[in-house]
Amino acid sequence: MAPTTPVRVSTLGYAILGLLAREPLSGYDLAALLKMPVGYYWTAQHGQIHPELQRLLADGLVTYQATRGPGPHPKKVYTITPSGSRILRSWVTEPPRPRPVRDELVLKAASLWFADTAAALRLFRAEAERHAEQLATYEATRTSMEARYGASLQRPGRPEFAEYVTLRCGISYETHRLGWCRWVIELLEQADAWPEPPGRR
Amino acid sequence: MAPTTPVRVSTLGYAILGLLAREPLSGYDLAALLKMPVGYYWTAQHGQIHPELQRLLADGLVTYQATRGPGPHPKKVYTITPSGSRILRSWVTEPPRPRPVRDELVLKAASLWFADTAAALRLFRAEAERHAEQLATYEATRTSMEARYGASLQRPGRPEFAEYVTLRCGISYETHRLGWCRWVIELLEQADAWPEPPGRR
DNA sequence: CAACTCATGTAATGAGTTACATGATTGT
DNA sequence: ACAATCATGTAACTCATTACATGAGTTG
């Protein structure tokens, strides 16, 4: 084959190809799967997904089968092409480009010295609760996945293996976040109990 | 005071105000502080910082003192105004809006079943090494901070307290990431040793 | 004298969010 | 009758990255 124009696929494009590698899906299905807080640690709305599907189609990485849709547009069920599979497979194991860190809670934490301690406590207690809830949800999913799939969760060729691996990352992340929030709460509570001695500076 | 037009500040704006609350800085200084991988868990380049400073200036949240600069433009050292301090203080303890999750490594992990196991092992070993290095750097910073500041790291009114809290978040994050990568490596190594039995599916 | 640091500014591009637009079917 | 779900498409906007532009002083 002649070396064609190198096809540039965005990260969202790979997120879509990764889902289509498992099963054919419509844009609507993809939007549902990529909605927070499910989604394979990537999120997108339909306003971004439909144009991206058109780009993938133009590059020959996906095809679709159209049927009459409920609205004015036909419903399109997308399938990954061999070319799409190839480009996805090589992308998966390439090193990810380092993403810039952008974490609003930690940014707020960096200015915590500037804030009222009681208000800071409220903030971190609320955050800790959020993380505890998310952790509980993930743990429940883990229990049901382990019961359902058993040993096949250890087989790297299985889709459920990949899903389990990302779930365990989520559990690990929430555990870390919850631990940090609770540690900050402890520090703030201690300082509240023994307030800043006015004599020393 | 009459209720003026509500001033809308972007997250980057708060990142800048948070740094200016500690000491006056030029746009160049801010760019250096907000560069990866330092920066208070927020990153930005000068191409974004300079226009943002102009907006903060127009809203009266910062002022500057100009001196002759090395290039064609005057050097400007920015200072936070009382109005800027007020808006920063109230922002710090407001709950952060939930940020969409976008993690390229975990996205790759979600398609790991589709990839070559040996290549996947290379990917995760490289990632584990990156995190181990970052963790070592953070731990060294922690040691020097604890030696330098001692008990004042427990006083919430101190800038070094806030810095320490974000550092501990970084340490906790890298520990979580490293643990997860190593766990994935173990799974992949086991599967490599006892390959998929061809009889079962 | 070349490369690096200091120091700001703008423009083009890309990525992501939100809102507008249309319209059938199904459940309350 | 009204809301929710299914289903796609486009436009306006914000946010972020990268590149272009200028130019002095310092270090090797």
Side-chain angles (χ1 to χ4, degrees):
Chain A
M1 227 202 285
T4 54
T5 333
V7 178
R8 293 275 307 137
V9 180
S10 68
T11 309
L12 173 63
Y14 287 115
I16 291 172
L17 289 177
L19 290 168
L20 292 181
R22 300 188 181 199
E23 56 181 334
L25 294 163
S26 68
Y28 185 86
D29 296 332
L30 285 164
L33 288 170
L34 288 169
K35 200 192 297 181
M36 282 267 286
V38 191
Y40 298 90
Y41 296 86
W42 205 265
T43 50
Q45 284 78 39
H46 86 274
Q48 216 188 339
I49 290 165
H50 287 294
E52 184 62 37
L53 280 168
Q54 286 163 28
R55 248 167 287 157
L56 294 174
L57 184 70
D59 291 336
L61 308 176
V62 300
T63 36
Y64 67 86
Q65 281 273 303
T67 55
R68 268 214 58 237
H73 308 287
K75 174 180 171 168
K76 298 171 182 175
V77 175
Y78 290 87
T79 311
I80 195 167
T81 63
S83 166
S85 293
R86 222 179 310 121
I87 206 166
L88 173 65
R89 187 171 288 111
S90 76
W91 169 82
V92 173
T93 53
E94 254 164 49
R97 338 165 261 184
R99 278 233 140 206
V101 190
R102 242 169 235 123
D103 188 320
E104 206 170 307
L105 183 65
V106 187
L107 181 64
K108 281 168 188 278
S111 290
L112 214 53
W113 65 280
F114 202 68
D116 175 59
T117 304
L121 262 171
R122 275 196 295 279
L123 170 68
F124 274 84
R125 283 184 181 138
E127 280 297 309
E129 203 181 331
R130 271 201 339 97
H131 287 298
E133 273 167 30
Q134 188 64 71
L135 183 57
T137 308
Y138 283 164
E139 285 289 7
T141 309
R142 176 186 173 176
T143 304
S144 75
M145 269 195 93
E146 285 173 351
R148 185 157 154 216
Y149 294 109
S152 84
L153 293 178
Q154 253 109 38
R155 300 224 206 122
R158 301 282 178 147
E160 60 263 27
F161 164 83
E163 208 177 313
Y164 186 62
V165 160
T166 60
L167 176 66
R168 291 294 295 264
C169 183
I171 289 174
S172 174
Y173 174 77
E174 295 298 336
T175 304
H176 130 69
R177 251 323 165 87
L178 183 58
W180 178 67
C181 284
R182 285 184 175 156
W183 175 77
V184 174
I185 290 167
E186 254 179 69
L187 282 184
L188 292 172
E189 279 172 347
Q190 279 171 24
D192 219 31
W194 301 294
E196 184 92 2
R200 299 207 232 139
R201 46 160 249 119
Chain B
M1 225 200 287
T4 55
T5 332
V7 178
R8 292 274 308 138
V9 181
S10 69
T11 309
L12 172 62
Y14 287 116
I16 291 172
L17 289 177
L19 289 169
L20 293 180
R22 300 187 181 200
E23 55 181 333
L25 294 163
S26 68
Y28 185 86
D29 297 332
L30 285 164
L33 288 170
L34 288 169
K35 199 192 297 181
M36 282 267 285
V38 190
Y40 298 92
Y41 296 86
W42 205 266
T43 50
Q45 284 79 39
H46 84 275
Q48 216 189 338
I49 290 166
H50 287 292
E52 185 63 38
L53 280 168
Q54 287 163 28
R55 247 165 291 156
L56 294 173
L57 183 70
D59 291 337
L61 308 176
V62 299
T63 35
Y64 69 84
Q65 280 274 300
T67 56
R68 267 213 61 235
H73 307 287
K75 175 179 169 169
K76 298 171 182 175
V77 176
Y78 289 88
T79 312
I80 195 167
T81 63
S83 166
S85 293
R86 221 178 311 121
I87 207 167
L88 173 65
R89 188 171 287 112
S90 75
W91 168 82
V92 174
T93 51
E94 254 163 49
R97 338 164 259 185
R99 278 233 140 205
V101 189
R102 242 171 234 122
D103 188 320
E104 206 170 308
L105 182 66
V106 188
L107 181 64
K108 281 168 189 278
S111 289
L112 214 54
W113 65 279
F114 202 67
D116 174 58
T117 305
L121 261 170
R122 276 195 295 280
L123 171 68
F124 274 84
R125 283 185 181 136
E127 279 299 308
E129 203 180 331
R130 271 201 339 98
H131 287 298
E133 273 167 32
Q134 188 63 71
L135 182 58
T137 308
Y138 283 162
E139 285 289 6
T141 309
R142 177 186 173 177
T143 303
S144 75
M145 270 195 92
E146 286 174 351
R148 186 157 155 215
Y149 294 108
S152 85
L153 293 178
Q154 252 109 39
R155 301 226 207 119
R158 301 280 178 149
E160 60 262 28
F161 163 83
E163 209 176 311
Y164 186 62
V165 159
T166 61
L167 177 67
R168 291 294 297 264
C169 183
I171 289 174
S172 173
Y173 174 77
E174 295 297 338
T175 305
H176 130 69
R177 251 321 165 90
L178 184 57
W180 178 68
C181 284
R182 285 184 175 156
W183 175 77
V184 173
I185 290 167
E186 252 179 70
L187 281 184
L188 292 172
E189 278 172 346
Q190 280 170 24
D192 219 30
W194 303 295
E196 184 92 3
R200 299 207 232 138
R201 47 162 248 117

